[in-house]
Amino acid sequence: RVACTIQLLAFFFLTILSVHPKEAPYNWTEEQLGEPVPNYFVLPVISLVIITILNDGTIISIAYDYVEPSPIPERWNLPIVFSVATWLGLVAVMSSVMLLHMGLNSHNKGSTFEEWGMGEMTYGQVYTMMYLKVSLSDFLTVFSARVANGFATDRKPGTALLSAAVFATIISTILSLNWPFGPATKMESLTTGQAVFTWAYCIAWFLIQDLSKVGLYKLLLNFDVAGLRTELELKEKRALEMKGQTGVEGRVNQLEEALKEVKVERIEPLEREVRALRESTVDNGSARLMPSGSGSSSSMI
């Protein structure tokens, strides 16, 4: 939630301050837009509403995510939470600003889009492309943020979370390809190639985002920031102590220990009883033999 909020707020803040479509290097004109060129770039309100609704639905479903229980009571390590969330949000912001620059510059000769064969985009398509980019980045950031100190693929997502994310991304893509709210929103439908490019761009940056998150965690662990390494070592120690106490392996170990105790408790008394019986048998045999021998001697005499 923190990473997604940072992405949205920081992106709008930076674009309002630093992105001016009618100035160099973009140089958009009134003739190209058919109306006065805005002084700064900002997404239409309707796109923000859609992003918020779909994104909140995905985040709510994380309550049913697949998790592994901690061997010690969990606690919020807020310095770590906000540090990692801020980094994830800033990486997403950087990728959004770069894509916005390429989109606004697409009508100029020698632009990145021209070199990549993407062609020129209208101002309305730039709006829609950025809507799709921010929307997809929000959903992908959820998958990176849910796994601490590891890659997003290290822990499988819950069915509810995965279903919500797939549904939301499909809806966002369909809307970007067939924008239904008309020219009043100043947004225009993307071509299939533009939508595919936006998806590929988002996935590439998601991999960079996730890889950099793992690197950040290693740095935080190395310097034991906010006791992160100490807490992790405590978890590992406790996990080792608990090993063999839960699950199938734990049940087997418990039964083996119980069997050893039963053997000790039962075998020792049984051994003592056997020895006593043997001694008793020997004594009785001797007693029976002695009278018999004496009687024979007497008769002989």
Side-chain angles (χ1 to χ4, degrees):
R1 178 72 273 177
V2 175
C4 294
T5 302
I6 289 174
Q7 178 185 185
L8 286 172
L9 296 180
F11 175 70
F12 298 139
F13 179 76
L14 288 175
T15 54
I16 289 174
L17 285 182
S18 59
V19 179
H20 307 289
K22 62 182 178 181
E23 298 178 4
Y26 311 119
N27 301 316
W28 284 87
T29 63
E30 187 173 341
E31 289 75 16
Q32 291 173 309
L33 269 65
E35 60 181 24
V37 181
N39 294 322
Y40 50 83
F41 183 88
V42 61
L43 285 174
V45 175
I46 184 63
S47 65
L48 302 181
V49 172
I50 296 173
I51 289 173
T52 303
I53 292 174
L54 294 176
N55 180 262
D56 284 353
T58 303
I59 291 178
I60 290 173
S61 67
I62 205 171
Y64 302 94
D65 192 17
Y66 173 81
V67 296
E68 297 174 357
S70 171
I72 64 174
E74 290 284 11
R75 68 180 183 88
W76 284 108
N77 193 333
L78 292 181
I80 300 300
V81 170
F82 280 99
S83 297
V84 177
T86 301
W87 176 256
L88 292 174
L90 290 178
V91 172
V93 169
M94 182 170 60
S95 66
S96 296
V97 171
M98 290 177 60
L99 184 62
L100 175 60
H101 170 74
M102 289 189 289
L104 289 176
N105 197 45
S106 63
H107 67 286
N108 292 321
K109 188 175 182 180
S111 66
T112 303
F113 273 24
E114 183 182 5
E115 293 177 355
W116 291 353
M118 294 295 298
E120 181 179 341
M121 298 185 73
T122 66
Y123 200 83
Q125 286 177 327
V126 175
Y127 272 141
T128 308
M129 180 179 68
M130 294 314 303
Y131 153 74
L132 181 61
K133 162 59 176 75
V134 173
S135 183
L136 294 178
S137 289
D138 263 6
F139 303 138
L140 294 174
T141 298
V142 170
F143 285 94
S144 180
R146 60 182 284 275
V147 181
N149 192 27
F151 294 102
T153 54
D154 287 352
R155 193 175 79 232
K156 66 179 182 180
T159 303
L161 174 62
L162 185 60
S163 300
V166 170
F167 173 78
T169 53
I170 290 176
I171 293 298
S172 297
T173 305
I174 291 174
L175 289 176
S176 67
L177 290 171
N178 304 277
W179 189 251
F181 301 106
T185 60
K186 301 180 181 180
M187 297 175 66
E188 300 176 18
S189 300
L190 297 177
T191 65
T192 302
Q194 291 167 344
V196 170
F197 171 80
T198 306
W199 261 96
Y201 184 86
C202 290
I203 292 174
W205 271 97
F206 165 70
L207 297 176
I208 296 172
Q209 183 188 48
D210 201 46
L211 181 62
S212 66
K213 179 204 67 178
V214 174
L216 177 61
Y217 261 108
K218 289 186 180 297
L219 187 65
L220 295 173
L221 284 168
N222 185 53
F223 292 98
D224 196 21
V225 178
L228 180 62
R229 186 179 68 230
T230 302
E231 182 179 350
L232 183 61
E233 290 173 349
L234 179 60
K235 286 183 178 181
E236 292 175 349
K237 180 180 178 181
R238 179 57 181 155
L240 289 175
E241 293 174 354
M242 292 178 64
K243 187 177 181 181
Q245 296 181 14
T246 58
V248 176
E249 182 182 352
R251 183 58 180 161
V252 170
N253 290 338
Q254 291 175 2
L255 291 174
E256 288 179 347
E257 291 298 326
L259 183 60
K260 290 178 182 178
E261 294 178 1
V262 170
K263 286 181 178 178
V264 172
E265 292 176 356
R266 292 186 179 181
I267 289 177
E268 290 182 353
L270 288 173
E271 287 180 343
R272 288 195 296 267
E273 187 176 349
V274 169
R275 283 197 300 267
L277 287 172
R278 285 176 178 174
E279 291 173 359
S280 175
T281 301
V282 172
D283 292 342
N284 289 337
S286 300
R288 286 194 300 269
L289 289 173
M290 290 295 293
S292 175
S294 300
S296 300
S297 300
S298 299
S299 298
M300 291 175 67
I301 291 171

